[in-house]
Amino acid sequence: MPTSGLIITLQPGSATQADAVGRLRARPELTLGEVSDRWLPVALETRDDAESREVYDWLMALPGVAFVDVVSVNFEPTLSLQLHPSP
Amino acid sequence: MNDRLPHLNRARATRRVLLAVLITAAVSGYFMGLRQTRSQVSLTRPTELSTAQVSRAGSAPDRSVPGIVNYGEVNRKRSGPNAGWRSDLYLLIGPPRLALTTNAPPEFRAAAVAQRQLRRAFDGAPPLVPHPITQDSSAACLACHASGLAVKDRTASKVSHTHFSNCTQCHVPAGGPQIPIGDTALREPLSGNTFAGFAAFGPGKRAWPGAPPTIPHATLMRSDCLSCHGPGGLYGLRTPHVERLLCTQCHVPNARLDQRLVTHE
Amino acid sequence: MNLPRREFLRASALAAASAVVAQRTGAADATTSPAPSPADGIAWDKAPCRFCGTGCHVRVGVKDGKVVAIQGDQLAEVNKGLLCVKGYHVGLALYGKDRLTTPLLRKNGKLEPISWDEALDTIAKRVMAAPDKFAIYGSGQWTIPEGYAANKLMKGGLSNNHIDPNARLCMASAVTGYLSTYGVDEPAGCYDDLDACDVLILWGNNMAEMHPVLFSRVIDRRTRGQKVTLIDIGTRRTRTTEFSDHYLEFKPQSDLAILNGIAHLLLKNGTYDAKFVERFCNFRQDTAAASLLGDAMTFDAYKAALEPYTPEYVEKISGVPAEKIRLLGELFGRKDIRITSVWCMGFNQHSRGTNANRLCHGIHLLSGHFGKHGDAPTSLTGQPSACGTAREVGTMCHFLPGGRLIANAEHRAETERIWNVPPGRINPKMGHHTVLLWEKFCTPTAQGGDISTVWVQVTNPGQSLPNLHKLFKAKRGLPDKFLIVSEVYPTATTELADLVLPSAMWVEKNGMFGNSERRTQQWFKMVNPPGEARDDCWQTIAVARKLFELGHPGLKDKEDKFLFTFKNAAGTEVPAWDWKHYYDVNVDRALFEEYRAFSRYKHKDLAPYDEYVKARGLRWPVVQQASGAWRETKFRFAEFDDSYVKRGAGIQFYHSVTKDDKALIWFAPYEKAAEEPDADFPFWLCTGRVLEHWHTGTMTMRIPQLSGAMPHAYVEMHSADATERSIANGETILVRTRRGQLRLPVWTNGRGHVPRGSLFVPFFDQRLLVNDLTLGEPDPISKEPDYKKCAATVVKLGAGRLNSV
């Protein structure tokens, strides 16, 4: 279950910014921080890498989002990767 | 007279075979010529066609003139003059590319950068296509460039960016569409151009000798680092540690080049 | 994983991200113009691309006074960092070796260098000698301030309406289509529709080559796993066809029948949007002569008129199988999908272009596929400021700025008020539209050719006009005709010019463009023009000043002040007509702020200049909010986005022709083309563009990467047609029409694939002028010529000659 810290660079213009932030807020996997200037820090929790990628692509395509930077990623071992699965 | 006959026959037979070989070579050469262009690698080759036939003809005078085999059936039909002619695709696979263990010497890096410049108006411009292309389809590009195909000494570089499917939107053939025109003066440009593009942003900076260098170029359209820095890239640009997959863990991109920060410096 | 641990991870991830943001804040705003970095010495600044109407933003890298690199601008919503091959190489357009660097006057048949002062004098004297025989022929590549200055000089200064742009050849029919449907020009939707539509219909539009960045915006959705159905309705297979789910190949001109066939099916199947039509639409047709606003018709009469257009009948006319027509009818009948239609020159350069536009709007309105993101009929433009300058500034022979009409006394009065000129200054008589203007210029004065001097800016009519022998080349040898051309390179037009003025281009000057989606864009001058080349806007103002000095009364306003007076921040007048002082004040800013006053009337509200400096373009109407912020509009007439729509209205066509907030659904019949193939001329001849070259190629043919990729024009021919005539690929043949003939190399099975009986020739090559052949039959309403249809024949040259290399 990866947990990532992202910085979302928003497009300038208060209307588009507000629009984008609204849409971001609607995604349950995102936890939003405080918008500062054009940047919005968020935490992202996903099931797996594929989902992370999906959310990343969604973010990049979102109107009002100029760029997404990945600041940190934390990988938790998933069940299938446990070293000694019980028989 | 009698003892001269077999000699004459043999000479006639040899001539016949030679003629057949010549015609076959001419005809197949013609078709090959149609199919191939200068910068393409030969994907099929006649396996010692001429020499084998000639020597065999010498020892087996009873062989008649072989029939023509349909070009499309060459690979399936194992008879006639083209019996030994097949596509040897396995021969074309390049030697395994070994990852480097140390950085390439600086002169190789310079050579690699110079080679990149040949096909780009400036650092960051989409490279021109150095070979003829299919004019109406992008699928053909991806056949080789999607995964980065290495064929003999040629490498079709792997696309360094994702999800763009209209290849010819940005990459156009340097040699043009190669319409076989008579009036070749039409291929001459209207005028020269004095543009001098910015050659290269690199090399990246190191905080101290041995520190990981920063990324000296924009990462837009260059999201797959291994396209250039992997084993399929130009020798001078290859990384000595291809096994480490998270490039940006150590090599940081430049915010200014990536258009995230434009500061008054 | 237990919850507290997740909370902790989430919190630390957010903290890490927040810490970085905190560091960044306070760093300079990315939208302000940058200074060079000490590291590589490159200064980056934003500009819209010089070429097409898409309006991509590029970042221009400048070092030591030269453009050295180009990047796609990631902050730009239009292109999000992506460009096409022309855009990536746009910086090279400045550096062709044969740039014009000094004014040239034709003396004894040869162009000889002269001084700027002599050049300006020459123009001013010709204008003074015959002010009403002077015309300006401009362009959709004029920046907004350039077009505005020229318009003001002509209409407000010289009381002369003979000013028209090349946009007449390009999107005049789109304008009449919008005006006669909605009562106001330009698309309701925008490019965002491309992100939201389920079905994209390309009407005679090779988007993959002509608007590649927009095309990628659509097809890249597929790579992201979205489904979008592409329907290519065209007369030849192109690169666009390769990406399409359906390809409907129709016989030239029969698009009118297909559009009617869709409307027929919507009515027949009862799948039209009765509620939408009832609330928001009226019906129209041209009963007697073709006119912009036509005559009212009832719904029943509309139904009856469409009755004959059964799928089978449409198949007979168009060659498109009836089941494909049914497919279109069914798609438009569905309420669960969103349909966007796009078109460009296929509809516009059409002898019934206005009708093609009207019918396309009509099927969207009839089916209710309008007013939601992804549900829109949208025309694309070919030039970077066809919308911003030609249409909005109104540099056409019948327009005044901001959608006003010369024919309307109130509009004239209002314009005179804003320009502060005496009442009656503006001539109430419409000027000559493009085709007429050139016809009059090429006709001897004694035979009624009432235009004697034409000043061409930012365009190349010697290559782009149709039927060049008649409309351009006939000027040769007419003694009292004088052609002035402001250009950056020698062109087919400068060949006949009597006076050539070297111009600054693109980032060698300040500028503003307006793209296809109502987006107004701004950029600053970044490098100096070569030699004595100077801004077109300066040229206009300098000529105006000469006229003022020569005592032309029109160059004075009501207070006897010069029409183009500029003040700096301190309030001191700056003599901008003097080149040394032109950049002492931002002339663009001053002209734009004046022009902005015109923009409210048709609700095309523009924001202050400084807002555009910060933005990567803003889509009008840009409306100021209570907070003071400026908000752009993505979908006009729709309540969800357009703040001018009354609350609760849903949709409101507030410039309705019928004054009842309703749009007009038009009926127009299928009519045959002006010239169709016959026994003598058995081929259809179509002209157009290619990916690598922009319009007449004056810029792109000088960019080695582009001219190398597409070095010359050709004629596309079906291989069976070629075989029948023993014509080989690459062989030079003669293509002949009733207007001229041209030797062209044949390209079969090349990039595009014409059907049998058709030819296609691109028009970018100045050595192979296909417009020597075109008919250019104008649309009766928009006066836009048809470049896509005329009859031609081919002749094999010298039998047995070996033509291949």
Side-chain angles (χ1 to χ4, degrees):
Chain A
M1 184 125 192
T3 309
S4 328
L6 311 178
I7 296 175
I8 296 174
T9 307
L10 298 162
Q11 304 269 16
S14 49
T16 40
Q17 271 200 13
D19 235 36
V21 173
R23 292 212 220 174
L24 292 168
R25 210 178 292 283
R27 298 281 294 214
E29 59 272 58
L30 292 173
T31 311
L32 272 56
E34 296 275 324
V35 182
S36 171
D37 202 348
R38 298 174 44 230
W39 295 289
L40 170 66
V42 299
L44 166 68
E45 290 169 283
T46 48
R47 277 190 314 280
D48 49 28
D49 289 1
E51 199 191 340
S52 303
R53 183 78 216 172
E54 222 169 85
V55 177
Y56 179 83
D57 288 342
W58 177 80
L59 283 171
M60 286 298 281
L62 190 67
V65 170
F67 206 83
V68 179
D69 287 292
V70 182
V71 173
S72 66
V73 184
N74 190 298
F75 298 99
E76 283 289 312
T78 52
L79 210 62
S80 59
L81 285 177
Q82 281 182 1
L83 281 176
H84 304 290
S86 37
Chain B
M1 253 211 16
N2 263 358
D3 50 358
R4 279 175 65 193
L5 248 160
H7 197 72
L8 201 73
N9 274 348
R10 197 155 52 215
R12 202 176 292 151
T14 312
R15 237 181 305 167
R16 242 186 349 220
V17 171
L18 276 173
L19 191 68
V21 168
L22 196 71
I23 290 168
T24 320
V27 169
S28 45
Y30 173 70
F31 282 111
M32 295 285 289
L34 280 188
R35 285 172 52 90
Q36 287 182 252
T37 47
R38 267 166 299 167
S39 59
Q40 271 181 319
V41 196
S42 170
L43 287 177
T44 53
R45 66 191 183 107
T47 0
E48 292 124 20
L49 171 71
S50 46
T51 50
Q53 292 280 310
V54 170
S55 68
R56 233 183 281 143
S59 58
D62 55 333
R63 250 179 112 95
S64 58
V65 174
I68 302 284
V69 175
N70 184 312
Y71 191 72
E73 294 176 333
V74 164
N75 273 343
R76 277 186 288 123
K77 280 210 171 159
R78 293 287 161 237
S79 61
N82 294 325
W85 188 1
R86 68 193 71 213
S87 298
D88 288 328
L89 285 172
Y90 70 95
L91 286 175
L92 300 176
I93 296 165
R97 287 165 193 281
L98 297 175
L100 302 181
T101 48
T102 57
N103 280 318
E107 61 268 29
F108 284 91
R109 187 189 171 277
V113 170
Q115 189 175 332
R116 285 174 57 83
Q117 284 167 19
L118 286 179
R119 291 182 193 160
R120 289 166 175 82
F122 51 89
D123 195 8
L128 295 172
V129 182
H131 55 74
I133 61 162
T134 308
Q135 282 290 331
D136 54 5
S137 157
S138 278
C141 315
L142 296 174
C144 297
H145 292 282
S147 56
L149 184 68
V151 173
K152 277 211 156 167
D153 58 337
R154 300 282 186 113
T155 305
S157 50
K158 182 176 185 299
V159 284
S160 60
H161 47 73
T162 50
H163 84 256
F164 295 112
S165 40
N166 189 10
C167 310
T168 46
Q169 169 180 334
C170 300
H171 303 283
V172 294
Q178 311 227 330
I179 309 167
I181 53 169
D183 183 6
T184 47
L186 284 176
R187 296 215 179 110
E188 298 304 315
L190 286 184
S191 82
N193 193 300
T194 62
F195 176 83
F198 193 74
F201 288 99
K205 295 185 198 72
R206 292 173 195 268
W208 66 88
T214 58
I215 299 176
H217 54 74
T219 53
L220 179 67
M221 301 290 170
R222 293 167 169 177
S223 51
D224 186 348
C225 307
L226 293 185
S227 169
C228 298
H229 301 293
L234 295 169
Y235 175 68
L237 299 179
R238 282 181 221 160
T239 170
H241 46 260
V242 69
E243 71 285 0
R244 295 194 188 130
L245 297 175
L246 198 61
C247 311
T248 47
Q249 175 184 335
C250 301
H251 304 282
V252 293
N254 184 319
R256 199 175 67 94
L257 292 173
D258 279 342
Q259 306 180 21
R260 282 168 292 140
L261 265 180
V262 182
T263 52
H264 293 283
E265 284 160 293
Chain C
M1 202 178 351
N2 55 25
L3 269 176
R5 169 111 180 106
R6 279 182 60 187
E7 293 286 353
F8 167 75
L9 285 174
R10 189 195 305 143
S12 43
L14 193 58
S18 301
V20 179
V21 168
Q23 272 178 1
R24 278 193 186 175
T25 315
D29 192 330
T31 53
T32 53
S33 67
S37 133
D40 49 33
I42 297 182
W44 294 94
D45 205 351
K46 59 138 193 174
C49 176
R50 172 65 181 77
F51 299 124
C52 80
T54 302
C56 299
H57 259 88
V58 301
R59 297 212 320 149
V60 184
V62 174
K63 191 182 181 189
D64 302 331
K66 299 261 185 199
V67 175
V68 296
I70 296 291
Q71 287 184 335
D73 192 332
Q74 294 186 67
L75 290 176
E77 274 180 88
V78 171
N79 54 308
K80 301 184 172 85
L82 184 65
L83 295 173
C84 75
V85 70
K86 291 187 294 294
Y88 282 114
H89 295 97
V90 59
L92 283 74
L94 274 53
Y95 300 108
K97 274 189 177 156
D98 52 350
R99 268 299 288 268
L100 298 168
T101 54
T102 173
L104 303 166
L105 183 67
R106 196 171 293 277
K107 294 174 181 166
N108 303 319
K110 250 192 85 192
L111 287 171
E112 308 269 5
I114 56 165
S115 72
W116 264 110
D117 207 52
E118 194 184 340
L120 298 174
D121 257 347
T122 310
I123 302 173
K125 281 181 183 144
R126 277 206 71 95
V127 177
M128 287 301 280
D132 57 333
K133 290 193 165 63
F134 174 63
I136 290 188
Y137 182 63
S139 160
Q141 298 155 62
W142 253 339
T143 67
I144 291 169
E146 282 167 1
Y148 181 74
N151 214 13
K152 188 175 174 184
L153 166 64
M154 289 297 279
K155 293 167 186 166
L158 304 178
S159 304
N160 175 340
N161 296 327
H162 295 316
I163 173 170
D164 218 42
N166 64 358
R168 178 76 68 178
L169 312 174
C170 168
M171 31 56 27
S173 295
V175 176
T176 48
Y178 283 112
L179 283 175
S180 57
T181 302
Y182 309 101
V184 58
D185 186 22
E186 295 197 39
C190 64
Y191 299 158
D192 294 38
D193 298 320
L194 300 172
D195 307 330
C197 63
D198 300 298
V199 177
L200 179 70
I201 304 185
L202 302 133
W203 294 94
N205 185 207
N206 180 6
M207 204 183 191
E209 286 197 71
M210 305 326 155
H211 297 89
V213 169
L214 297 181
F215 190 67
S216 282
R217 192 159 159 176
V218 178
I219 60 168
D220 292 344
R221 288 173 56 196
R222 290 177 170 168
T223 330
R224 292 201 297 270
Q226 296 176 27
K227 186 171 156 48
V228 51
T229 302
L230 256 63
I231 303 181
D232 178 17
I233 306 182
T235 57
R236 65 189 257 270
R237 298 185 78 98
T238 64
R239 281 183 176 171
T240 304
T241 318
E242 290 301 312
F243 292 94
S244 299
D245 299 273
H246 301 280
Y247 172 54
L248 281 62
E249 190 168 277
F250 66 93
K251 293 182 193 147
Q253 192 82 358
S254 68
D255 40 2
L256 300 166
I258 298 172
L259 289 156
N260 280 336
I262 295 168
H264 170 96
L265 285 170
L266 287 168
L267 296 172
K268 190 99 186 163
N269 303 340
T271 47
Y272 71 99
D273 193 332
K275 249 166 82 196
F276 187 96
V277 171
E278 167 114 8
R279 283 180 69 191
F280 307 125
C281 306
N282 290 317
F283 293 87
R284 279 271 153 137
Q285 64 178 340
D286 280 328
T287 40
S291 71
L292 181 66
L293 300 178
D295 310 293
M297 89 193 286
T298 63
F299 181 49
D300 288 335
Y302 175 74
K303 259 172 130 165
L306 284 168
E307 193 54 42
Y309 290 91
T310 61
E312 286 69 27
Y313 176 64
V314 173
E315 172 174 346
K316 228 177 84 193
I317 298 173
S318 68
V320 176
E323 87 243 26
K324 294 276 190 186
I325 305 292
R326 288 204 176 85
L327 167 98
L328 289 175
E330 192 193 306
L331 281 174
F332 272 96
R334 280 174 62 179
K335 301 277 179 285
D336 59 327
I337 53 169
R338 299 194 174 190
I339 305 177
T340 291
S341 282
V342 293
W343 64 93
C344 197
M345 293 305 112
F347 272 174
N348 294 351
Q349 293 179 338
H350 192 307
S351 60
R352 289 290 177 275
T354 304
N355 283 347
N357 274 271
R358 287 168 170 171
L359 293 177
C360 189
H361 293 301
I363 53 171
H364 274 269
L365 294 169
L366 187 65
S367 62
H369 282 290
F370 183 94
K372 299 182 286 291
H373 276 316
D375 258 344
T378 297
S379 67
L380 302 173
T381 46
Q383 299 188 81
S385 200
C387 287
T389 307
R391 290 157 82 160
E392 291 158 30
V393 175
T395 61
M396 304 183 95
C397 65
H398 64 299
F399 275 149
L400 290 168
R404 290 171 180 77
L405 293 168
I406 281 172
N408 183 318
E410 263 176 58
H411 291 177
R412 290 197 304 276
E414 209 178 345
T415 307
E416 285 158 352
R417 186 182 57 73
I418 297 175
W419 281 343
N420 195 33
V421 294
R425 173 67 67 77
I426 297 171
N427 185 340
K429 193 167 168 271
M430 214 171 88
H432 292 334
H433 61 80
T434 296
V435 173
L436 191 60
L437 189 154
W438 287 102
E439 209 177 304
K440 294 287 184 189
F441 183 62
C442 290
T443 306
T445 314
Q447 292 166 33
D450 62 5
I451 298 290
S452 64
T453 305
V454 179
W455 185 1
V456 175
Q457 284 195 337
V458 219
T459 183
N460 186 11
Q463 186 166 348
S464 59
L465 283 167
N467 197 359
L468 283 168
H469 289 295
K470 180 183 169 195
L471 293 179
F472 187 74
K473 293 180 178 174
K475 183 259 172 196
R476 202 188 291 270
L478 297 182
D480 57 342
K481 304 282 179 166
F482 195 81
L483 180 62
I484 307 159
V485 183
S486 298
E487 248 305 351
V488 297
Y489 290 113
T491 64
T493 309
T494 60
E495 252 174 59
L496 289 195
D498 300 287
L499 176 64
V500 176
L501 305 174
S503 290
M505 69 184 286
W506 196 45
V507 297
E508 292 166 357
K509 62 187 183 189
N510 286 343
M512 299 185 85
F513 280 160
N515 80 348
S516 295
E517 58 160 357
R518 298 177 275 106
R519 184 185 293 273
T520 313
Q521 305 152 313
Q522 176 276 347
W523 76 92
F524 285 121
K525 173 176 176 168
M526 300 172 206
V527 297
N528 282 321
E532 287 182 59
R534 295 177 186 179
D535 300 30
D536 294 86
C537 194
W538 172 82
Q539 296 175 22
T540 303
I541 293 168
V543 166
R545 185 66 188 184
K546 281 276 178 203
L547 292 167
F548 176 80
E549 285 161 4
L550 289 172
H552 192 295
L555 275 303
K556 289 177 184 164
D557 69 6
K558 274 201 260 184
E559 275 95 52
D560 284 346
K561 277 172 77 174
F562 179 46
L563 272 193
F564 298 94
T565 302
F566 304 100
K567 287 183 180 156
N568 64 17
T572 321
E573 278 186 23
V574 175
W577 54 87
D578 180 352
W579 177 244
K580 286 198 297 291
H581 296 289
Y582 186 67
Y583 275 91
D584 288 357
V585 60
N586 187 341
V587 171
D588 265 35
R589 188 174 189 274
L591 288 173
F592 185 78
E593 289 299 333
E594 183 184 310
Y595 158 59
R596 219 159 69 76
F598 285 97
S599 69
R600 297 296 171 85
Y601 160 63
K602 283 266 187 177
H603 297 91
K604 299 184 177 182
D605 312 22
L606 299 169
Y609 181 86
D610 295 335
E611 292 298 314
Y612 297 101
V613 173
K614 287 186 274 181
R616 262 59 175 175
L618 295 168
R619 286 165 285 194
W620 59 256
V622 191
V623 183
Q624 193 164 28
Q625 306 296 291
S627 66
W630 295 85
R631 181 186 179 278
E632 57 172 357
T633 304
K634 292 181 180 175
F635 214 113
R636 285 198 295 162
F637 314 130
E639 188 183 342
F640 79 91
D641 196 52
D642 186 343
S643 51
Y644 285 118
V645 172
K646 274 196 297 259
R647 290 278 147 250
I651 302 269
Q652 186 193 356
F653 296 105
Y654 45 72
H655 282 291
S656 163
V657 172
T658 39
K659 312 277 182 232
D660 56 358
D661 291 342
K662 290 184 179 182
L664 299 177
I665 296 178
W666 283 76
F667 170 75
Y670 160 74
E671 290 169 278
K672 281 174 94 79
E675 186 183 81
E676 300 211 340
D678 54 23
D680 296 335
F681 295 93
F683 285 92
W684 283 108
L685 171 63
C686 180
T687 69
R689 296 172 284 172
V690 295
L691 168 78
E692 292 89 345
H693 291 296
W694 194 71
H695 292 190
T696 60
T698 49
M699 292 180 281
T700 50
M701 281 293 267
R702 288 174 169 85
I703 299 175
Q705 287 75 6
L706 300 176
S707 61
M710 185 51 80
H712 57 84
Y714 51 84
V715 53
E716 232 169 68
M717 193 176 188
H718 194 280
S719 54
D721 284 333
T723 310
E724 237 171 41
R725 291 161 178 78
S726 308
I727 293 169
N729 189 25
E731 185 173 331
T732 300
I733 60 164
L734 195 68
V735 180
R736 184 183 288 156
T737 68
R738 292 186 173 88
R739 287 141 310 269
Q741 57 182 38
L742 183 65
R743 283 161 182 260
L744 283 160
V746 172
W747 198 12
T748 57
N749 295 321
R751 185 181 294 183
H753 302 266
V754 289
R756 292 206 64 172
S758 277
L759 306 171
F760 172 85
V761 182
F763 77 101
F764 67 83
D765 195 337
Q766 69 177 51
R767 301 160 300 182
L768 302 168
L769 292 174
V770 71
N771 280 322
D772 283 350
L773 311 184
T774 47
L775 169 65
E777 175 70 13
D779 175 271
I781 300 167
S782 70
K783 314 295 180 204
E784 174 168 353
D786 192 330
Y787 289 81
K788 303 288 185 186
K789 293 179 271 302
C790 71
T793 186
V794 299
V795 181
K796 187 179 164 73
L797 292 167
R801 246 177 66 190
L802 203 67
N803 277 299
S804 48
V805 239

